[in-house]
Amino acid sequence: MRVLVTGGAGFIGSHVVHACLGRGHEVRVLDALLPAVHPAGVAPTVPDGVELLVGDVRDREVVDRALEGVDAVCHQAAMVGLGVDVQDMPEYAGINGFGTGVLLAGMAGADVGRLVLASSMVVYGEGTYECPVDGVVPAAPRRRADLDEGRFDPPCPVCGRQLSWGPVTEETAPDPRNTYAATKLGQEHLASAWASSTGGGVIALRYHNVYGPHMPRDTPYAGVAAVFRSALESGRAPRVFEDGGQQRDFVHVTDVAEANLRALEIEPPPAALRAYNVASGQPHTVADMARALADAFGGPAPEVTGEYRVGDVRHVVASPVLAEEELGFRAEVAFADGMRAFATDPLRPAP
């Protein structure tokens, strides 16, 4: 199979490229080499035999050239992370929304009918909660006044009682609560519309908290694992926001790359859009992750700050059952092993 990997010079994309090559696929990479991820003056590297096209997914001419002779597309190119503030909105909407639209239009023109889309857990918003009185309820948006007082868990929107969290499944209703989340859900909707119009098939992989070698470091768009790792390397304590009790599912990038392979190779491909959680199924708190990294690094111990970011969600933990049943995917890297390795893994240089 000849696969186009957009964003294939980036963190997750580069691992997907290596995984595809390891399975005998031909790979072409399209990457804009955005300065938020790729340092100026540092030449991107791709494996031998991989064609690299430097260009933007918003450029139809470049996209059409990248799609020539391709059997499938693995769409990793995106603005990621929570960003800085609302001034990032045009860039997120442009790259994640308009860029995906251009790619899909190009695929229709080139008669490429197979797409694997990098989606995200952020489409779920606050995830799944249950009230002891009112049952399963949507979590009310967290209020600044509560966050300022250190009340981080969302209350029941009906009675105000403490909620208990549970795993999200692919059937959980989307509830995007920040710019990035809105654009990732928008990508799914665009891809679904493309599939309906063309008869193509889409597998949307909803990544949970991905970490591993070659994460970008020291940028406002980096994942929390890279932020903590950078602090430790500088001799500073990792600063854990809120009370550190935020539940997450940390999944290693090599497992994410394997999930992409399973999605690319599934037969027959889906007739429309199918979404799958890409997660370990073993939740840990952000404080757990900070402690595991600090222990592996030899300190200093994390500092729980009580600070918060508007737009962050409290608990998002996934059920990996559907991906295992239908894609045959199960995450293999254990949390303790992955964090121990990540303490010394190479990171992408700061922009």
Side-chain angles (χ1 to χ4, degrees):
M1 184 185 301
R2 191 167 198 190
V3 181
L4 171 65
V5 181
T6 69
F11 167 44
I12 296 174
S14 62
H15 286 272
V16 172
V17 168
H18 281 279
C20 286
L21 292 174
R23 201 87 101 217
H25 300 303
E26 294 182 56
V27 180
R28 177 183 293 150
V29 166
L30 172 63
D31 201 300
L33 304 181
L34 295 177
V37 179
H38 299 274
V42 178
T45 58
V46 295
D48 290 341
V50 172
E51 180 186 1
L52 170 63
L53 295 180
V54 178
D56 198 307
V57 289
R58 292 170 290 188
D59 185 331
R60 178 62 185 269
E61 183 179 343
V62 170
V63 166
D64 286 346
R65 190 162 69 249
L67 288 167
E68 290 176 3
V70 162
D71 302 305
V73 175
C74 193
H75 185 32
Q76 307 291 322
M79 282 279 287
V80 300
L82 192 58
V84 178
D85 54 34
V86 295
Q87 298 305 314
D88 280 334
M89 276 187 169
E91 197 77 355
Y92 276 99
I95 294 173
N96 297 358
F98 180 67
T100 297
V102 172
L103 176 67
L104 293 168
M107 290 177 66
D111 197 27
V112 179
R114 190 164 195 151
L115 173 67
V116 176
L117 172 67
S119 188
S120 173
M121 67 172 193
V122 295
V123 303
Y124 295 119
E126 278 289 353
T128 298
Y129 288 86
E130 186 169 356
C131 173
V133 173
D134 299 298
V136 176
V137 294
R142 299 196 296 172
R143 301 181 303 171
R144 284 181 182 266
D146 289 334
L147 297 171
D148 288 338
E149 294 296 323
R151 294 188 293 271
F152 300 117
D153 285 293
C156 175
V158 179
C159 68
R161 287 180 171 83
Q162 177 75 51
L163 298 174
S164 59
W165 58 269
V168 293
T169 71
E170 290 80 357
E171 299 303 316
T172 300
D175 184 22
R177 298 197 176 193
N178 57 52
T179 298
Y180 175 55
T183 61
K184 294 309 285 185
L185 184 59
Q187 286 184 316
E188 290 194 19
H189 288 323
L190 287 169
S192 180
W194 166 84
S196 296
S197 298
T198 65
V202 185
I203 291 181
L205 299 177
R206 292 172 175 170
Y207 302 158
H208 285 251
N209 287 74
V210 185
Y211 72 99
H214 307 298
M215 284 187 80
R217 63 187 304 162
D218 300 329
T219 92
Y221 309 96
V224 66
V227 172
F228 290 168
R229 162 71 189 280
S230 294
L232 288 163
E233 283 189 328
S234 301
R236 296 178 284 110
R239 293 175 57 80
V240 180
F241 281 10
E242 302 186 15
D243 59 0
Q246 308 94 304
Q247 294 283 346
R248 295 290 189 270
D249 190 309
F250 298 96
V251 58
H252 198 269
V253 68
T254 56
D255 285 324
V256 173
E258 177 63 23
N260 276 271
L261 274 178
R262 299 294 180 100
L264 281 167
E265 295 174 347
I266 191 171
E267 293 294 347
L273 183 142
R274 292 286 286 165
Y276 297 95
N277 291 323
V278 176
S280 72
Q282 301 295 321
H284 292 83
T285 67
V286 173
D288 287 340
M289 189 266 285
R291 282 191 294 268
L293 266 184
D295 289 347
F297 207 86
E303 175 189 351
V304 178
T305 68
E307 298 174 61
Y308 63 86
R309 297 190 303 176
V310 174
D312 272 345
V313 296
R314 181 62 173 169
H315 306 300
V316 185
V317 172
S319 167
V321 171
L322 190 66
E324 183 171 358
E325 289 178 346
E326 297 191 2
L327 295 181
F329 167 74
R330 179 199 290 262
E332 298 293 340
V333 179
F335 176 80
D337 295 337
M339 288 297 162
R340 193 178 304 112
F342 185 62
T344 56
D345 279 337
L347 298 184
R348 192 175 295 268

